Tab-separated table of all heavy atoms in Angstrom:
chain	number	residue	atom	x	y	z
A	1	CYS	N	-12.276	-59.634	82.761
A	1	CYS	CA	-13.325	-58.869	81.985
A	1	CYS	C	-14.085	-59.875	81.100
A	1	CYS	O	-15.303	-59.746	80.961
A	1	CYS	CB	-12.708	-57.737	81.232
A	1	CYS	SG	-11.911	-56.495	82.219
A	2	LYS	N	-13.352	-60.789	80.389
A	2	LYS	CA	-13.995	-61.801	79.564
A	2	LYS	C	-14.999	-62.585	80.277
A	2	LYS	O	-16.088	-62.836	79.787
A	2	LYS	CB	-12.904	-62.537	78.881
A	2	LYS	CG	-13.428	-63.550	77.824
A	2	LYS	CD	-12.303	-64.291	77.092
A	2	LYS	CE	-12.892	-65.244	76.094
A	2	LYS	NZ	-13.748	-64.713	75.076
A	3	TYR	N	-14.606	-63.039	81.488
A	3	TYR	CA	-15.492	-63.876	82.262
A	3	TYR	C	-16.764	-63.140	82.605
A	3	TYR	O	-17.874	-63.670	82.577
A	3	TYR	CB	-14.831	-64.228	83.637
A	3	TYR	CG	-13.884	-65.414	83.505
A	3	TYR	CD1	-12.771	-65.422	84.414
A	3	TYR	CD2	-14.032	-66.503	82.683
A	3	TYR	CE1	-11.854	-66.576	84.294
A	3	TYR	CE2	-13.205	-67.523	82.632
A	3	TYR	CZ	-12.085	-67.539	83.478
A	3	TYR	OH	-11.222	-68.694	83.416
A	4	LEU	N	-16.675	-61.814	82.870
A	4	LEU	CA	-17.816	-61.090	83.263
A	4	LEU	C	-18.882	-60.895	82.175
A	4	LEU	O	-20.037	-60.673	82.380
A	4	LEU	CB	-17.412	-59.671	83.796
A	4	LEU	CG	-16.648	-59.690	85.083
A	4	LEU	CD1	-16.438	-58.250	85.602
A	4	LEU	CD2	-17.322	-60.490	86.179
A	5	GLU	N	-18.356	-60.991	80.941
A	5	GLU	CA	-19.293	-60.829	79.708
A	5	GLU	C	-20.408	-61.852	79.860
A	5	GLU	O	-21.593	-61.501	79.435
A	5	GLU	CB	-18.566	-61.101	78.502
A	5	GLU	CG	-17.522	-59.984	78.172
A	5	GLU	CD	-16.738	-60.281	76.905
A	5	GLU	OE1	-16.940	-61.285	76.242
A	5	GLU	OE2	-15.797	-59.483	76.620
A	6	ASP	N	-20.304	-62.998	80.357
A	6	ASP	CA	-21.330	-63.998	80.386
A	6	ASP	C	-21.866	-64.280	81.810
A	6	ASP	O	-22.703	-65.116	82.000
A	6	ASP	CB	-20.863	-65.317	79.827
A	6	ASP	CG	-20.357	-65.207	78.410
A	6	ASP	OD1	-21.066	-64.483	77.643
A	6	ASP	OD2	-19.382	-65.735	77.977
A	7	GLU	N	-21.480	-63.486	82.795
A	7	GLU	CA	-21.817	-63.641	84.164
A	7	GLU	C	-23.091	-62.840	84.452
A	7	GLU	O	-23.354	-61.784	83.855
A	7	GLU	CB	-20.761	-63.194	85.055
A	7	GLU	CG	-19.620	-64.170	85.211
A	7	GLU	CD	-20.059	-65.494	85.644
A	7	GLU	OE1	-20.481	-65.752	86.696
A	7	GLU	OE2	-19.948	-66.480	84.790
A	8	PRO	N	-23.945	-63.386	85.326
A	8	PRO	CA	-25.188	-62.648	85.719
A	8	PRO	C	-24.790	-61.287	86.370
A	8	PRO	O	-23.770	-61.160	87.034
A	8	PRO	CB	-25.908	-63.613	86.689
A	8	PRO	CG	-24.856	-64.488	87.255
A	8	PRO	CD	-23.860	-64.585	85.976
A	9	ALA	N	-25.619	-60.295	86.172
A	9	ALA	CA	-25.336	-58.982	86.729
A	9	ALA	C	-25.641	-58.976	88.248
A	9	ALA	O	-26.743	-59.123	88.707
A	9	ALA	CB	-26.201	-57.928	86.073
A	10	LEU	N	-24.568	-58.761	89.008
A	10	LEU	CA	-24.747	-58.775	90.501
A	10	LEU	C	-24.128	-57.545	91.164
A	10	LEU	O	-23.862	-57.592	92.350
A	10	LEU	CB	-24.101	-60.091	91.037
A	10	LEU	CG	-24.744	-61.365	90.542
A	10	LEU	CD1	-23.860	-62.597	91.117
A	10	LEU	CD2	-26.124	-61.544	91.084
A	11	ALA	N	-23.931	-56.466	90.420
A	11	ALA	CA	-23.335	-55.344	90.950
A	11	ALA	C	-24.188	-54.662	92.031
A	11	ALA	O	-23.611	-53.951	92.885
A	11	ALA	CB	-23.034	-54.296	89.827
A	12	GLY	N	-25.497	-54.938	91.977
A	12	GLY	CA	-26.343	-54.302	92.946
A	12	GLY	C	-26.375	-54.967	94.345
A	12	GLY	O	-27.119	-54.421	95.177
A	13	LEU	N	-25.720	-56.003	94.527
A	13	LEU	CA	-25.686	-56.694	95.704
A	13	LEU	C	-24.916	-55.815	96.817
A	13	LEU	O	-24.008	-55.099	96.501
A	13	LEU	CB	-24.976	-58.043	95.653
A	13	LEU	CG	-25.709	-59.170	94.815
A	13	LEU	CD1	-24.786	-60.368	94.655
A	13	LEU	CD2	-26.973	-59.559	95.531
A	14	LYS	N	-25.346	-56.008	98.110
A	14	LYS	CA	-24.735	-55.292	99.130
A	14	LYS	C	-23.251	-55.832	99.394
A	14	LYS	O	-22.304	-55.208	99.747
A	14	LYS	CB	-25.596	-55.329	100.394
A	14	LYS	CG	-24.983	-54.355	101.475
A	14	LYS	CD	-26.059	-54.220	102.702
A	14	LYS	CE	-25.485	-53.273	103.631
A	14	LYS	NZ	-26.482	-53.045	104.729
A	15	ILE	N	-23.126	-57.199	99.330
A	15	ILE	CA	-21.928	-57.812	99.588
A	15	ILE	C	-21.470	-58.408	98.206
A	15	ILE	O	-22.116	-59.448	97.723
A	15	ILE	CB	-22.140	-58.982	100.594
A	15	ILE	CG1	-22.669	-58.459	101.870
A	15	ILE	CG2	-20.779	-59.660	100.887
A	15	ILE	CD1	-23.168	-59.559	102.889
A	16	THR	N	-20.462	-57.832	97.684
A	16	THR	CA	-19.991	-58.252	96.338
A	16	THR	C	-18.578	-58.926	96.362
A	16	THR	O	-18.255	-59.615	95.351
A	16	THR	CB	-19.998	-57.131	95.409
A	16	THR	OG1	-19.187	-56.093	95.769
A	16	THR	CG2	-21.350	-56.575	95.128
A	17	THR	N	-17.772	-58.557	97.307
A	17	THR	CA	-16.410	-59.183	97.286
A	17	THR	C	-16.428	-60.645	97.200
A	17	THR	O	-15.510	-61.284	96.647
A	17	THR	CB	-15.574	-58.685	98.482
A	17	THR	OG1	-16.197	-58.946	99.640
A	17	THR	CG2	-15.365	-57.200	98.344
A	18	SER	N	-17.453	-61.264	97.879
A	18	SER	CA	-17.426	-62.718	97.919
A	18	SER	C	-17.793	-63.345	96.503
A	18	SER	O	-17.831	-64.614	96.398
A	18	SER	CB	-18.408	-63.217	98.926
A	18	SER	OG	-19.726	-62.684	98.712
A	19	ILE	N	-18.198	-62.513	95.545
A	19	ILE	CA	-18.499	-62.985	94.207
A	19	ILE	C	-17.432	-62.548	93.241
A	19	ILE	O	-16.921	-63.346	92.445
A	19	ILE	CB	-19.869	-62.406	93.806
A	19	ILE	CG1	-20.912	-63.158	94.594
A	19	ILE	CG2	-20.108	-62.740	92.328
A	19	ILE	CD1	-22.377	-62.551	94.406
A	20	TYR	N	-16.989	-61.260	93.312
A	20	TYR	CA	-16.070	-60.790	92.277
A	20	TYR	C	-14.650	-61.011	92.500
A	20	TYR	O	-13.854	-61.264	91.581
A	20	TYR	CB	-16.286	-59.308	92.062
A	20	TYR	CG	-17.670	-59.033	91.341
A	20	TYR	CD1	-18.789	-58.564	92.027
A	20	TYR	CD2	-17.810	-59.371	89.991
A	20	TYR	CE1	-20.010	-58.377	91.367
A	20	TYR	CE2	-18.955	-59.133	89.268
A	20	TYR	CZ	-20.083	-58.684	90.012
A	20	TYR	OH	-21.198	-58.570	89.345
A	21	ASP	N	-14.245	-61.131	93.821
A	21	ASP	CA	-12.824	-61.443	94.195
A	21	ASP	C	-12.549	-62.876	93.714
A	21	ASP	O	-11.404	-63.166	93.156
A	21	ASP	CB	-12.576	-61.297	95.618
A	21	ASP	CG	-12.377	-59.823	95.964
A	21	ASP	OD1	-12.512	-58.966	95.044
A	21	ASP	OD2	-12.003	-59.536	97.112
A	22	PRO	N	-13.417	-63.831	93.920
A	22	PRO	CA	-13.156	-65.215	93.441
A	22	PRO	C	-12.915	-65.270	91.951
A	22	PRO	O	-12.162	-66.141	91.492
A	22	PRO	CB	-14.366	-65.993	93.888
A	22	PRO	CG	-14.828	-65.303	95.132
A	22	PRO	CD	-14.587	-63.843	94.842
A	23	ILE	N	-13.618	-64.522	91.168
A	23	ILE	CA	-13.553	-64.565	89.757
A	23	ILE	C	-12.146	-64.099	89.318
A	23	ILE	O	-11.517	-64.624	88.407
A	23	ILE	CB	-14.553	-63.638	89.037
A	23	ILE	CG1	-15.901	-64.216	89.264
A	23	ILE	CG2	-14.268	-63.530	87.573
A	23	ILE	CD1	-17.119	-63.354	88.722
A	24	LEU	N	-11.485	-63.121	90.119
A	24	LEU	CA	-10.071	-62.829	89.841
A	24	LEU	C	-9.110	-63.980	90.114
A	24	LEU	O	-8.151	-64.205	89.370
A	24	LEU	CB	-9.712	-61.594	90.672
A	24	LEU	CG	-8.247	-61.089	90.321
A	24	LEU	CD1	-8.191	-60.519	88.889
A	24	LEU	CD2	-7.849	-59.954	91.355
A	25	ILE	N	-9.419	-64.780	91.120
A	25	ILE	CA	-8.626	-65.885	91.476
A	25	ILE	C	-8.728	-66.977	90.306
A	25	ILE	O	-7.717	-67.556	89.902
A	25	ILE	CB	-8.996	-66.510	92.828
A	25	ILE	CG1	-8.815	-65.511	93.954
A	25	ILE	CG2	-8.287	-67.814	93.037
A	25	ILE	CD1	-7.352	-65.065	94.124
A	26	PHE	N	-9.926	-67.197	89.842
A	26	PHE	CA	-10.156	-68.075	88.725
A	26	PHE	C	-9.369	-67.618	87.522
A	26	PHE	O	-8.819	-68.421	86.788
A	26	PHE	CB	-11.635	-68.127	88.369
A	26	PHE	CG	-12.407	-69.082	89.371
A	26	PHE	CD1	-13.395	-68.521	90.124
A	26	PHE	CD2	-12.129	-70.428	89.468
A	26	PHE	CE1	-14.151	-69.249	90.977
A	26	PHE	CE2	-12.933	-71.223	90.343
A	26	PHE	CZ	-13.923	-70.668	91.152
A	27	ALA	N	-9.365	-66.225	87.252
A	27	ALA	CA	-8.794	-65.684	86.066
A	27	ALA	C	-7.243	-65.942	86.240
A	27	ALA	O	-6.553	-66.283	85.255
A	27	ALA	CB	-9.095	-64.210	85.887
A	28	TRP	N	-6.670	-65.705	87.419
A	28	TRP	CA	-5.272	-65.894	87.725
A	28	TRP	C	-4.870	-67.345	87.343
A	28	TRP	O	-3.959	-67.527	86.609
A	28	TRP	CB	-4.983	-65.609	89.162
A	28	TRP	CG	-3.664	-66.245	89.600
A	28	TRP	CD1	-2.470	-65.863	89.359
A	28	TRP	CD2	-3.636	-67.468	90.458
A	28	TRP	NE1	-1.567	-66.764	89.975
A	28	TRP	CE2	-2.264	-67.687	90.720
A	28	TRP	CE3	-4.585	-68.208	91.117
A	28	TRP	CZ2	-1.868	-68.764	91.493
A	28	TRP	CZ3	-4.160	-69.310	91.898
A	28	TRP	CH2	-2.792	-69.560	92.111
A	29	TYR	N	-5.642	-68.297	87.822
A	29	TYR	CA	-5.353	-69.622	87.630
A	29	TYR	C	-5.446	-70.068	86.157
A	29	TYR	O	-4.590	-70.823	85.604
A	29	TYR	CB	-6.121	-70.577	88.448
A	29	TYR	CG	-5.659	-72.019	88.584
A	29	TYR	CD1	-4.638	-72.335	89.443
A	29	TYR	CD2	-6.141	-73.032	87.737
A	29	TYR	CE1	-4.047	-73.589	89.436
A	29	TYR	CE2	-5.689	-74.338	87.742
A	29	TYR	CZ	-4.677	-74.614	88.714
A	29	TYR	OH	-4.182	-75.914	88.660
A	30	ALA	N	-6.481	-69.482	85.488
A	30	ALA	CA	-6.582	-69.815	84.070
A	30	ALA	C	-5.477	-69.266	83.157
A	30	ALA	O	-5.023	-69.968	82.188
A	30	ALA	CB	-7.939	-69.220	83.512
A	31	VAL	N	-4.862	-68.168	83.621
A	31	VAL	CA	-3.857	-67.510	82.777
A	31	VAL	C	-2.417	-67.966	82.995
A	31	VAL	O	-1.660	-68.135	82.112
A	31	VAL	CB	-3.943	-65.988	82.938
A	31	VAL	CG1	-2.652	-65.284	82.356
A	31	VAL	CG2	-5.249	-65.480	82.320
A	32	VAL	N	-2.042	-68.105	84.295
A	32	VAL	CA	-0.652	-68.489	84.548
A	32	VAL	C	-0.258	-69.846	83.876
A	32	VAL	O	-0.931	-70.778	83.915
A	32	VAL	CB	-0.326	-68.599	86.015
A	32	VAL	CG1	-0.402	-67.200	86.631
A	32	VAL	CG2	-1.294	-69.580	86.745
A	33	PRO	N	0.940	-69.804	83.131
A	33	PRO	CA	1.296	-70.983	82.449
A	33	PRO	C	1.803	-72.079	83.458
A	33	PRO	O	1.725	-73.300	83.078
A	33	PRO	CB	2.521	-70.500	81.546
A	33	PRO	CG	3.001	-69.339	82.257
A	33	PRO	CD	1.776	-68.673	82.876
A	34	ASP	N	2.355	-71.756	84.540
A	34	ASP	CA	2.823	-72.758	85.456
A	34	ASP	C	1.859	-72.854	86.612
A	34	ASP	O	1.755	-72.021	87.507
A	34	ASP	CB	4.197	-72.314	86.048
A	34	ASP	CG	5.176	-72.001	84.897
A	34	ASP	OD1	5.503	-72.895	84.153
A	34	ASP	OD2	5.655	-70.842	84.788
A	35	LYS	N	0.935	-73.897	86.546
A	35	LYS	CA	-0.068	-73.982	87.534
A	35	LYS	C	0.440	-74.471	88.881
A	35	LYS	O	1.123	-75.507	88.989
A	35	LYS	CB	-1.178	-75.043	87.105
A	35	LYS	CG	-1.711	-74.787	85.671
A	35	LYS	CD	-2.398	-73.452	85.538
A	35	LYS	CE	-3.019	-73.347	84.124
A	35	LYS	NZ	-3.469	-72.020	83.810
A	36	PRO	N	0.363	-73.699	89.884
A	36	PRO	CA	0.970	-74.109	91.196
A	36	PRO	C	0.021	-75.147	91.856
A	36	PRO	O	-1.143	-75.261	91.512
A	36	PRO	CB	0.849	-72.706	91.989
A	36	PRO	CG	-0.361	-72.035	91.395
A	36	PRO	CD	-0.324	-72.372	89.912
A	37	GLU	N	0.562	-75.814	92.853
A	37	GLU	CA	-0.202	-76.595	93.683
A	37	GLU	C	-1.045	-75.742	94.572
A	37	GLU	O	-0.552	-74.886	95.322
A	37	GLU	CB	0.710	-77.515	94.527
A	37	GLU	CG	1.454	-78.580	93.753
A	37	GLU	CD	0.556	-79.639	93.217
A	37	GLU	OE1	-0.515	-79.977	93.730
A	37	GLU	OE2	0.879	-80.244	92.120
A	38	LEU	N	-2.356	-75.824	94.512
A	38	LEU	CA	-3.234	-74.832	95.123
A	38	LEU	C	-3.057	-74.841	96.671
A	38	LEU	O	-3.248	-73.841	97.320
A	38	LEU	CB	-4.619	-75.059	94.813
A	38	LEU	CG	-4.935	-74.676	93.317
A	38	LEU	CD1	-6.286	-75.228	92.835
A	38	LEU	CD2	-4.842	-73.188	93.091
A	39	HIS	N	-2.721	-76.038	97.239
A	39	HIS	CA	-2.566	-76.017	98.650
A	39	HIS	C	-1.366	-75.179	99.170
A	39	HIS	O	-1.250	-74.725	100.193
A	39	HIS	CB	-2.407	-77.438	99.206
A	39	HIS	CG	-1.197	-78.177	98.808
A	39	HIS	ND1	0.062	-78.071	99.405
A	39	HIS	CD2	-0.956	-78.992	97.662
A	39	HIS	CE1	0.979	-78.778	98.826
A	39	HIS	NE2	0.386	-79.431	97.765
A	40	GLU	N	-0.460	-74.967	98.228
A	40	GLU	CA	0.734	-74.218	98.454
A	40	GLU	C	0.448	-72.692	98.554
A	40	GLU	O	1.175	-71.908	99.084
A	40	GLU	CB	1.867	-74.434	97.468
A	40	GLU	CG	2.373	-75.821	97.539
A	40	GLU	CD	3.478	-76.119	96.431
A	40	GLU	OE1	3.675	-75.163	95.679
A	40	GLU	OE2	3.977	-77.244	96.374
A	41	VAL	N	-0.633	-72.220	97.949
A	41	VAL	CA	-1.119	-70.821	97.961
A	41	VAL	C	-2.294	-70.620	98.824
A	41	VAL	O	-2.816	-69.477	98.757
A	41	VAL	CB	-1.293	-70.250	96.488
A	41	VAL	CG1	-0.074	-70.469	95.652
A	41	VAL	CG2	-2.460	-71.085	95.825
A	42	GLN	N	-2.717	-71.607	99.474
A	42	GLN	CA	-3.920	-71.468	100.410
A	42	GLN	C	-3.801	-70.336	101.332
A	42	GLN	O	-4.747	-69.465	101.471
A	42	GLN	CB	-4.155	-72.737	101.201
A	42	GLN	CG	-5.401	-72.747	102.089
A	42	GLN	CD	-6.673	-72.762	101.299
A	42	GLN	OE1	-7.051	-73.754	100.742
A	42	GLN	NE2	-7.325	-71.596	101.367
A	43	ARG	N	-2.720	-70.138	102.010
A	43	ARG	CA	-2.557	-69.167	103.082
A	43	ARG	C	-2.600	-67.703	102.441
A	43	ARG	O	-3.196	-66.862	102.968
A	43	ARG	CB	-1.179	-69.341	103.754
A	43	ARG	CG	-0.863	-68.373	104.854
A	43	ARG	CD	-1.886	-68.240	105.980
A	43	ARG	NE	-2.018	-69.536	106.727
A	43	ARG	CZ	-2.749	-69.750	107.767
A	43	ARG	NH1	-3.484	-68.708	108.250
A	43	ARG	NH2	-2.841	-70.898	108.392
A	44	GLU	N	-1.972	-67.509	101.241
A	44	GLU	CA	-2.006	-66.224	100.590
A	44	GLU	C	-3.354	-65.829	100.169
A	44	GLU	O	-3.745	-64.687	100.348
A	44	GLU	CB	-1.071	-66.252	99.382
A	44	GLU	CG	0.412	-66.157	99.690
A	44	GLU	CD	1.034	-67.472	100.009
A	44	GLU	OE1	0.294	-68.504	100.108
A	44	GLU	OE2	2.277	-67.552	100.065
A	45	ILE	N	-4.187	-66.804	99.711
A	45	ILE	CA	-5.473	-66.470	99.218
A	45	ILE	C	-6.437	-66.227	100.440
A	45	ILE	O	-7.191	-65.286	100.470
A	45	ILE	CB	-6.024	-67.646	98.382
A	45	ILE	CG1	-5.282	-67.638	97.058
A	45	ILE	CG2	-7.600	-67.490	98.165
A	45	ILE	CD1	-5.669	-68.788	96.114
A	46	TYR	N	-6.129	-66.943	101.574
A	46	TYR	CA	-6.925	-66.652	102.767
A	46	TYR	C	-6.630	-65.219	103.305
A	46	TYR	O	-7.511	-64.524	103.612
A	46	TYR	CB	-6.508	-67.644	103.827
A	46	TYR	CG	-6.785	-67.088	105.241
A	46	TYR	CD1	-8.078	-67.084	105.784
A	46	TYR	CD2	-5.669	-66.698	106.009
A	46	TYR	CE1	-8.321	-66.573	107.095
A	46	TYR	CE2	-5.930	-66.220	107.357
A	46	TYR	CZ	-7.219	-66.193	107.906
A	46	TYR	OH	-7.451	-65.619	109.075
A	47	LYS	N	-5.327	-64.839	103.136
A	47	LYS	CA	-4.971	-63.453	103.603
A	47	LYS	C	-5.807	-62.445	102.831
A	47	LYS	O	-6.121	-61.382	103.348
A	47	LYS	CB	-3.458	-63.225	103.504
A	47	LYS	CG	-2.619	-63.993	104.478
A	47	LYS	CD	-2.680	-63.326	105.869
A	47	LYS	CE	-1.685	-64.054	106.779
A	47	LYS	NZ	-1.764	-63.438	108.173
């Protein structure tokens, strides 16, 4: 939610998951105290 405060308004786009889902991934990585090796979670994020 904090990230979205400064983001451009894109809710009106027809395809939005390719914009808003990545922001959740960025938020996850910013918050978790133990940063994983990203190649180790590549498959889960692809899924």
Side-chain angles (χ1 to χ4, degrees):
C1 296
K2 183 175 177 60
Y3 280 148
L4 293 187
E5 291 175 3
D6 299 320
E7 286 302 295
L10 296 175
L13 292 172
K14 188 169 184 178
I15 305 170
T16 59
T17 54
S18 55
I19 293 174
Y20 289 104
D21 283 6
I23 294 176
L24 185 67
I25 298 298
F26 284 116
W28 158 74
Y29 194 80
V31 167
V32 291
D34 307 297
K35 309 298 183 193
E37 293 291 333
L38 289 169
H39 66 87
E40 296 179 356
V41 299
Q42 180 68 73
R43 181 60 61 172
E44 283 84 351
I45 291 176
Y46 158 73
K47 288 285 187 182

